[in-house]
Amino acid sequence: MEKVILLHGILLHDYNMSSLAKYLKNNGYEVLNICYPSRRCPIKDLTQIVKSKILADFQSDQKINLVGFSMGGLIWRSILAEMQPKNLGRLVMIATPNQGSEVADALHLNPFIRFLFGPAISDLRTTAADQIPSINNPQLEFGIIAGNIPTSPLFSRYFTEENDGKVSVESSHHLGEKDHIVLPFDHTFAPFNKKVQQQTLHFLKNGNFQH
């Protein structure tokens, strides 16, 4: 049986990935849903924390697939820039700000936002995007799911193009992506979205999305 390791985003908890975890488990995968202290450290340090939790999995004979929601995708990027495990399957990034978030650009200096989200909020700026390492594995098949239906008008003023309320569709792209799809969802609840779950499963099984 193949395994899928899930990573939530900033300010969130493994609970936010629980619906997706259950869906993947019901479809034949062993699932590891990791919780990490997303508010405590910058992405560089969070990468090492997560890496220590999954090192044994990357050294096993079991095929390991990866899913990252929002900042979780950036942490997978950072880990895969350092490691090329032989048992690696596929990666899906959901609503990941691969080229940064316009919201982080606007709010990262706000004292309340910095208190709420922690130091990693600065790593999510568009001007900091090139500081997150790119995946160092040309053989890895990875797909990206972006959203385009923001449900809250709170952050709309920070965007001039399609977005999910936190990340623009354009910013979700990353060099080397095998496939990319845009679905109607809001950023916050993306992992609970049935279409997101179905497309994640389809990519893990087939290496492409169902367009």
Side-chain angles (χ1 to χ4, degrees):
M1 180 184 294
E2 295 184 19
K3 179 181 283 190
V4 183
I5 305 178
L6 307 180
L7 281 185
H8 60 79
I10 193 170
L11 194 62
L12 301 178
H13 193 271
D14 55 359
Y15 164 77
N16 298 86
M17 305 296 281
S18 60
S19 177
L20 177 57
K22 182 178 179 180
Y23 179 79
L24 293 174
K25 185 176 181 179
N26 289 343
N27 281 276
Y29 287 91
E30 181 183 347
V31 178
L32 175 59
N33 187 9
I34 290 179
C35 190
Y36 65 95
S38 64
R39 298 176 61 235
R40 187 187 301 170
C41 316
I43 287 179
K44 182 178 180 181
D45 295 332
L46 293 173
T47 294
Q48 299 310 313
I49 291 172
V50 172
K51 186 177 174 181
S52 68
K53 291 176 179 283
I54 52 89
L55 198 57
D57 294 288
F58 277 178
Q59 293 173 342
S60 73
D61 294 327
Q62 185 180 25
K63 191 171 185 178
I64 304 295
N65 301 281
L66 312 173
V67 176
F69 169 50
S70 195
M71 188 176 74
L74 298 182
I75 293 175
W76 282 134
R77 267 179 54 183
S78 298
I79 289 175
L80 295 175
E82 300 178 7
M83 303 177 64
Q84 295 191 23
K86 295 180 180 179
N87 62 340
L88 186 60
R90 297 185 173 110
L91 163 68
V92 175
M93 291 188 276
I94 302 168
T96 294
N98 280 301
Q99 299 177 51
S101 168
E102 293 86 343
V103 174
D105 287 347
L107 300 178
H108 75 282
L109 292 179
N110 181 292
F112 176 72
I113 294 296
R114 291 192 67 82
F115 168 77
L116 189 63
F117 287 87
I121 188 67
S122 294
D123 296 331
L124 302 182
R125 294 171 296 151
T126 59
T127 53
D130 59 356
Q131 297 176 26
I132 308 297
S134 296
I135 295 169
N136 184 26
N137 187 342
Q139 305 305 315
L140 174 66
E141 293 184 335
F142 67 93
I144 297 170
I145 302 175
N148 66 352
I149 304 293
T151 57
S152 170
L154 185 60
F155 301 125
S156 298
R157 57 182 169 167
Y158 302 125
F159 293 96
T160 58
E161 54 192 42
E162 272 192 310
N163 65 89
D164 64 9
K166 300 287 178 58
V167 178
S168 68
V169 170
E170 182 61 32
S171 184
S172 68
H173 285 282
H174 184 53
L175 184 66
E177 63 196 36
K178 176 81 182 304
D179 203 354
H180 185 282
I181 193 168
V182 181
L183 299 177
F185 65 78
D186 176 82
H187 186 92
T188 302
F189 302 105
F192 295 93
N193 184 286
K194 293 303 180 184
K195 290 183 178 179
V196 170
Q197 295 177 1
Q198 291 165 359
Q199 292 287 1
T200 298
L201 176 66
H202 194 276
F203 190 91
L204 292 179
K205 286 185 174 295
N206 303 289
N208 57 64
F209 295 118
Q210 198 167 18
H211 293 274

